């Protein structure tokens, strides 16, 4: 009877959360499904801009290829940010036969020099996709609740699910075309698979496949299998060899599919998106070199351009050829590595500074992303009034979350039943800050909240029980 009552409460929470998410999506579509009032010559759609515009352009190419009866493996364009996300969007618009663009004059997509005057995003046809994202997430959340009841007390499970359902950094992304919402759903399934440690070959093979699919959605997942392998070896010693090989084989099957798909499309086998090799070069190395030598950053950027142009000329690079761009991405990658090796101390300082920025949660990120002009300088988040108000709010909000997470960490370590999963949570959080901290954007850190929710729920219950015993409140343990 008690279990039925708890399931009923979760039903109410998830239905209300889905309703809130759907209403938020409807509000955003109603208010922001239009082009911005712009202060520069280039227009940007309020919802389809920044990374999302790249996803949509790639999605349209994929959809058009499907319509022209190209094979599934040879459809689509260059793998720039995510292998999977643009294909999900494109396939949705393909099967619903909805328009994505009113104006489409793209013939040879080049992410390094894309002319936005060639496209015009269509109004409408957006709400259903956002609703389906939410529906998938909250459906998985229900099954996850039933799973974690076997490992955590009922009240802890309830708080964990409430956090996952309503925490703004998670909730609001279901109302956007960023890759996060689908990735959050994939994380929930990963939690379902990992919470019970197992040496079964099939389960470890499925985990490997699922990690590969998550890499398809978010490229930073490419190396997460490594800490999982070391953890399994440490925990199970010799008994881990065959399960680990099974997990690796599942993972490499997915990587092979990615590489073969690219080979079918462009004639070259590769698995990493271009942005994963371009990101450090574009965002970080100039500041690292500038701080190390005391040279103004604009001079460093001019030097970068000069060296790049020289390399392009010497190697006969055609920027409109994807094969040549892949060679250029290797140049960017090698240049970035050389700067980091040359200035290791400055690189570490840069990473630490940006990691602190990344760790500051921004619960209203999507609202500000939609409301503010994309390219207006200075950027809205650098304006004095914005920083004065919102950085303070974001820091306070983040500290409240982290206090309970830290308490929950020590609380959970005492529970041997959940010790292994707590280590997995810790590994993922450390991994995410190592590979993504240099970006300095809270959106990169948000996926950690899926795992940290378990520590948050346990921490909140632990504090409540402590005060209940101390001051005579109702104990919920």
């Amino acid at each position: 009877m008690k279990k039925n009552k708890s399931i009923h409460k979760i039903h109410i929470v998830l239905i209300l959360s889905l309703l809130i998410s759907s209403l938020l999506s409807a509000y955003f579509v109603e208010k922001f499904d239009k082009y911005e009032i712009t202060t520069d010559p280039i227009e940007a759609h309020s919802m389809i801009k920044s990374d999302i515009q790249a996803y949509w352009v790639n999605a349209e190419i994929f959809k058009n290829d499907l319509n022209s009866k190209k094979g599934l493996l040879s459809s689509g364009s260059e793998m720039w940010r995510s292998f999977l996300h643009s294909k999900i969007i494109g396939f949705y618009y393909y099967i619903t036969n909805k328009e994505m663009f009113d104006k489409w004059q793209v013939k040879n997509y080049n992410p390094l020099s894309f002319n936005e005057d060639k496209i015009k995003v269509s109004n409408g046809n957006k709400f259903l996709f956002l609703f389906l994202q939410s529906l998938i997430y909250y459906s998985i959340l229900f099954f996850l609740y039933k799973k974690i009841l076997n490992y955590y007390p009922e009240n802890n499970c309830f708080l964990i699910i409430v956090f996952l359902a309503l925490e703004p950094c998670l909730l609001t992304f279901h109302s956007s075309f960023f890759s996060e919402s689908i990735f959050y759903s994939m994380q929930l399934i990963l939690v379902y698979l990992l919470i019970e440690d197992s040496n079964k070959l099939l389960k470890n093979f499925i985990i490997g496949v699922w990690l590969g699919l998550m890499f398809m959605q978010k490229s930073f997942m490419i190396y997460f299998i490594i800490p999982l392998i070391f953890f399994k070896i440490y925990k199970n010693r010799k008994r881990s060899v065959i399960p680990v090989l099974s997990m690796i084989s599942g993972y490499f099957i997915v990587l092979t599919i990615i590489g073969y798909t690219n080979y079918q499309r462009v004639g070259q086998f590769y698995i990493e998106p271009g942005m994963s090799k371009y990101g450090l070069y574009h965002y970080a190395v100039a500041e690292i070199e500038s701080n190390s030598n005391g040279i103004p950053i604009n001079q460093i950027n001019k030097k970068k351009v000069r060296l790049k142009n020289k390399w392009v000329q010497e190697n006969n690079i055609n920027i409109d050829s994807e094969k040549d761009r892949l060679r250029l991405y290797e140049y960017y990658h090698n240049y970035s590595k050389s700067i980091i090796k040359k200035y290791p101390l400055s690189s570490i300082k840069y990473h630490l500074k940006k990691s602190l920025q990344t760790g500051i949660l921004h619960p209203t990120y999507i609202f500000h992303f939609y409301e503010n002009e994309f390219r207006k300088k200075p950027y809205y988040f650098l304006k004095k009034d914005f920083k004065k108000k919102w950085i303070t709010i974001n820091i306070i909000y983040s500290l409240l979350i982290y206090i309970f997470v830290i308490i929950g960490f020590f609380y959970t370590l005492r529970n041997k039943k959940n010790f292994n999963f707590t280590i997995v949570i810790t590994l993922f959080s450390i991994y995410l800050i190592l590979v993504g901290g240099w970006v300095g954007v809270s959106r990169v850190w948000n996926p950690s909240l899926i795992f940290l929710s378990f520590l948050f729920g346990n921490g909140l219950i632990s504090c409540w029980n402590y005060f209940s015993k101390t001051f005579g409140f109702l104990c919920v343990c």
Side-chain angles (χ1 to χ4, degrees):
M1 181 66 72
K2 187 177 179 182
K3 187 173 182 180
N4 289 337
K5 188 176 180 181
S6 70
I7 294 289
H8 181 66
K9 286 195 299 182
I10 285 297
H11 277 149
I12 293 173
V13 168
L14 295 181
I15 290 170
L16 286 176
S17 300
L18 177 60
L19 179 61
I20 291 169
S21 179
S22 302
L23 290 173
L24 190 61
S25 295
Y27 168 76
F28 283 149
V29 169
E30 176 67 25
K31 186 172 182 181
F32 297 113
D33 187 12
K34 61 184 180 181
Y35 273 76
E36 298 172 338
I37 298 173
T38 183
T39 57
D40 60 43
I42 302 176
E43 290 185 303
H45 192 278
S46 295
M47 295 182 74
I48 313 300
K49 57 188 176 184
S50 186
D51 297 5
I52 300 176
Q53 184 191 77
Y55 293 137
W56 265 55
V57 170
N58 279 277
E60 176 72 5
I61 295 170
F62 181 71
K63 185 188 89 165
N64 291 341
D65 285 349
L66 292 178
N67 281 325
S68 63
K69 307 303 180 184
K70 273 192 179 182
L72 187 64
L73 294 182
S74 57
S75 294
S77 62
E78 177 183 329
M79 185 177 163
W80 173 242
R81 287 187 177 273
S82 166
F83 178 87
L84 186 60
H85 190 57
S86 58
K87 289 178 172 58
I88 292 173
I89 296 171
F91 188 70
Y92 165 80
Y93 281 95
Y94 170 73
I95 62 174
T96 57
N97 197 28
K98 300 291 186 182
E99 292 297 324
M100 299 178 69
F101 294 91
D102 290 331
K103 177 182 177 182
W104 180 260
Q105 298 174 346
V106 178
K107 293 182 179 179
N108 183 18
Y109 176 60
N110 179 354
L112 294 177
S113 59
F114 181 66
N115 184 355
E116 296 175 52
D117 289 337
K118 294 183 177 182
I119 61 171
K120 184 83 172 182
V121 178
S122 299
N123 290 338
N125 306 328
K126 296 180 179 67
F127 173 77
L128 181 57
F129 182 91
L130 301 178
F131 171 77
L132 290 174
Q133 282 190 150
S134 299
L135 181 62
I136 290 168
Y137 179 83
Y138 290 110
S139 298
I140 296 171
L141 207 51
F142 172 71
F143 290 104
L144 181 64
Y145 173 73
K146 295 178 75 172
K147 179 75 170 180
I148 64 176
L149 278 173
N150 299 315
Y151 302 92
Y152 293 94
E154 184 181 309
N155 287 301
N156 298 51
C157 293
F158 180 78
L159 285 178
I160 291 166
I161 297 301
V162 169
F163 181 93
L164 289 169
L166 293 171
E167 197 286 320
C169 296
L170 303 176
L171 171 70
T172 54
F173 276 88
H174 304 314
S175 300
S176 83
F177 286 90
F178 279 114
S179 59
E180 270 71 12
S181 177
I182 293 171
F183 187 73
Y184 294 159
S185 295
M186 299 175 87
Q187 280 186 273
L188 295 181
I189 294 174
L190 183 65
V191 169
Y192 192 97
L193 293 170
L194 291 179
I195 196 167
E196 179 184 2
D197 187 47
S198 172
N199 282 327
K200 293 179 180 178
L201 298 187
L202 180 59
K203 183 172 183 181
N204 281 278
F205 178 80
I206 292 170
I207 289 172
V209 169
W210 197 251
L211 288 171
L213 292 172
M214 292 178 74
F215 164 64
M216 282 184 169
Q217 182 70 4
K218 283 284 193 183
S219 61
F220 69 74
M221 286 295 291
I222 187 168
Y223 300 118
F224 183 60
I225 192 171
I226 295 174
L228 275 184
I229 289 170
F230 279 113
F231 175 67
K232 279 187 169 290
I233 292 173
Y234 170 77
K235 181 179 177 294
N236 298 311
R237 309 295 177 177
K238 292 181 179 179
R239 290 184 298 126
S240 68
V241 174
I242 302 301
V244 163
L245 289 175
S246 180
M247 183 168 64
I248 292 172
S249 65
Y251 187 62
F252 273 96
I253 285 173
V254 178
L255 295 189
T256 303
I257 291 171
I258 296 171
Y260 181 71
T261 300
N262 287 322
Y263 179 80
Q264 283 287 100
R265 184 179 51 76
V266 75
Q268 187 159 335
F269 186 99
Y270 70 96
I271 60 172
E272 283 194 83
M275 189 63 189
S276 65
K277 297 190 174 184
Y278 177 65
L280 275 173
Y281 176 89
H282 183 67
Y283 292 108
V285 295
E287 186 173 336
I288 291 171
E289 195 171 0
S290 174
N291 292 337
S292 299
N293 297 309
I295 300 173
I297 199 165
N298 64 326
Q299 291 185 27
I300 298 293
N301 282 325
K302 288 178 182 178
K303 186 190 84 167
K304 280 172 57 185
V305 172
R306 187 175 67 253
L307 291 174
K308 186 262 291 183
N309 289 340
K310 181 182 177 184
W311 185 88
V312 166
Q313 187 174 13
E314 289 175 349
N315 290 273
N316 298 314
I317 297 296
N318 176 9
I319 199 72
D320 292 322
S321 164
E322 183 177 342
K323 284 187 177 181
D324 280 6
R325 286 199 299 273
L326 294 174
R327 293 171 61 196
L328 181 58
Y329 300 152
E330 285 300 324
Y331 166 82
Y332 291 143
H333 186 56
N334 292 331
Y335 183 93
S336 301
K337 287 194 297 184
S338 69
I339 294 297
I340 291 170
K341 288 179 181 177
K342 189 174 181 180
Y343 307 110
L345 187 59
S346 293
S347 299
I348 292 170
K349 287 180 179 178
Y350 177 88
H351 193 286
L352 289 173
K353 180 185 78 172
K354 289 295 183 178
S355 294
L356 287 173
Q357 293 178 14
T358 301
I360 299 174
L361 301 172
H362 191 166
T364 55
Y365 179 93
I366 293 296
F367 289 89
H368 293 132
F369 175 79
Y370 287 158
E371 279 183 340
N372 290 280
E373 189 179 343
F374 177 38
R375 293 185 185 83
K376 187 177 180 181
K377 302 290 181 68
Y379 295 118
Y380 71 89
F381 49 82
L382 296 178
K383 290 181 178 178
K384 187 175 180 181
D385 291 344
F386 183 92
K387 291 168 71 174
K388 183 178 179 181
K389 176 182 178 181
W390 286 104
I391 287 182
T392 303
I393 292 172
N394 293 342
I395 288 175
I396 292 171
Y397 178 80
S398 302
L399 288 175
L400 285 173
I401 297 291
Y402 294 147
I403 286 170
F404 289 114
V405 165
I406 292 168
I407 294 170
F409 174 77
F410 290 106
Y411 169 87
T412 309
L413 284 181
R414 294 181 301 177
N415 188 336
K416 292 183 179 180
K417 187 177 180 180
N418 301 318
F419 179 81
N420 291 330
F421 185 61
T422 303
I423 298 302
V424 171
I425 292 171
T426 307
L427 285 173
F428 182 84
S429 302
I430 294 171
Y431 171 83
L432 189 56
I433 207 69
L434 286 175
V435 301
W438 61 269
V439 180
V441 177
S442 63
R443 179 163 60 88
V444 176
W445 175 244
N446 285 352
S448 67
L449 294 174
I450 298 290
F451 286 93
L452 295 179
S453 63
F454 288 82
L455 303 183
F456 176 86
N458 292 333
L460 195 58
I461 285 290
S462 177
C463 288
W464 177 262
N465 288 339
Y466 171 80
F467 285 109
S468 68
K469 291 175 183 177
T470 304
F471 301 105
F473 298 154
L474 177 64
C475 183
V476 295
C477 55

